[in-house]
Amino acid sequence: AQSVAQPEDQVNVAEGNPLTVKCTYSVSGNPYLFWYVQYPNRGLQFLLKYITGDNLVKGSYGFEAEFNKSQTSFHLKKPSALVSDSALYFCAVRVPTGANNLFFGTGTRLTVIP
Amino acid sequence: NAGVMQNPRHLVRRRGQEARLRCSPMKGHSHVYWYRQLPEEGLKFMVYLQKENIIDESGMPKERFSAEFPKEGPSILRIQQVVRGDSAAYFCASSPLSRTANTGELFFGEGSRLTVL
């Protein structure tokens, strides 16, 4: 069975500093990996995904993520954090040959401090 | 192209009443997924439907919860005899039918927030 772990419930970073939000996964086969962001009282917005190809994927709002197969990780990164990046971030996984539904991590709340 | 539409956005029910949550997928999408988000928790998969078919309901509670996606009209998540523990945000997502168009991500609605008094 597939699963996703986000080891940090909360990440605080100063504005302008680089940020990392961690995600590790457990799945049989080659995974599809996703990052979503949720602002207060809103739905989830898609940020980026890894399907195949280049391990470094770039997404919306300057975010990027690196797929590391040996470490089974897909950490979300941004070189310079903005206060407006403060939100709840979810990592998700799907097995390409299985059902289409995504399995989500428990989320990491990012706070960017001015 | 309108996104995934959910209504109502907010719903208040008393214990024992029924709650009906509706979801219209994006145009051209025929797969619908329901997720539940409890306060301060992540999203839990509930059910995956295609038109007139339940594909995977492994995340649905065995009692009081049901879902449908009829040939015409929105998908409906129905909760009978609600209890306080049902208070949560319920999110619907959709994806396209064809494999070539299905690039994997799901498109989410804004959610329906159920409060049970």
Side-chain angles (χ1 to χ4, degrees):
Chain A
Q2 51 266 40
S3 65
V4 176
Q6 293 182 244
E8 302 158 315
D9 292 335
Q10 174 83 40
V11 169
N12 297 326
V13 64
E15 186 178 21
N17 282 4
L19 69 87
T20 299
V21 182
K22 296 179 181 177
C23 172
T24 59
Y25 65 90
S26 174
V27 66
S28 54
N30 295 318
Y32 288 2
L33 294 159
F34 305 82
W35 276 101
Y36 283 82
V37 60
Q38 185 182 30
Y39 296 100
N41 298 314
R42 302 294 301 275
L44 275 72
Q45 296 179 30
F46 170 75
L47 275 180
L48 52 78
K49 66 183 176 185
Y50 172 82
I51 304 296
T52 186
D54 194 351
N55 289 344
L56 183 66
V57 293
K58 295 186 183 295
S60 307
Y61 311 120
F63 283 93
E64 58 188 30
E66 185 167 11
F67 171 62
N68 188 318
K69 189 172 184 178
S70 62
Q71 297 185 5
T72 61
S73 68
F74 189 56
H75 300 332
L76 181 70
K77 300 182 180 184
K78 186 173 182 180
S80 178
L82 300 173
V83 173
S84 57
D85 293 330
S86 299
L88 191 56
Y89 290 81
F90 289 99
C91 182
V93 66
R94 178 168 88 84
V95 176
T97 55
N100 286 332
N101 50 299
L102 298 182
F103 289 88
F104 285 85
T106 51
T108 299
R109 187 166 299 282
L110 173 68
T111 300
V112 180
I113 302 164
Chain B
N1 186 9
V4 177
M5 303 301 292
Q6 289 188 249
N7 68 83
R9 291 291 309 277
H10 300 276
L11 182 64
V12 179
R13 286 287 180 266
R14 296 189 181 279
R15 281 178 296 170
Q17 292 184 318
E18 179 180 283
R20 283 190 181 221
L21 310 177
R22 288 175 290 277
C23 170
S24 296
M26 284 181 69
K27 186 176 181 181
H29 288 191
S30 57
H31 298 206
V32 165
Y33 312 77
W34 285 94
Y35 288 82
R36 177 165 63 175
Q37 184 178 31
L38 293 168
E40 303 305 319
E41 291 190 16
L43 275 79
K44 301 296 184 184
F45 167 74
M46 298 181 75
V47 62
Y48 162 36
L49 310 103
Q50 295 178 16
K51 285 283 187 181
E52 300 184 280
N53 285 307
I54 296 175
I55 306 303
D56 181 353
E57 57 181 347
S58 58
M60 287 280 272
K62 300 300 182 191
E63 298 178 346
R64 303 187 297 107
F65 284 72
S66 62
E68 62 177 10
F69 189 17
K71 186 176 181 180
E72 301 292 337
S75 175
I76 295 175
L77 179 67
R78 182 183 180 201
I79 312 172
Q80 295 178 289
Q81 299 176 317
V82 296
V83 301
R84 287 211 173 117
D86 297 332
S87 296
Y90 293 83
F91 288 96
C92 172
S94 71
S95 67
L97 172 62
S98 71
R99 284 202 168 273
T100 53
N102 189 340
T103 53
E105 69 264 34
L106 302 184
F107 298 82
F108 282 83
E110 294 289 299
S112 291
R113 283 155 182 82
L114 172 66
T115 301
V116 180
L117 302 178

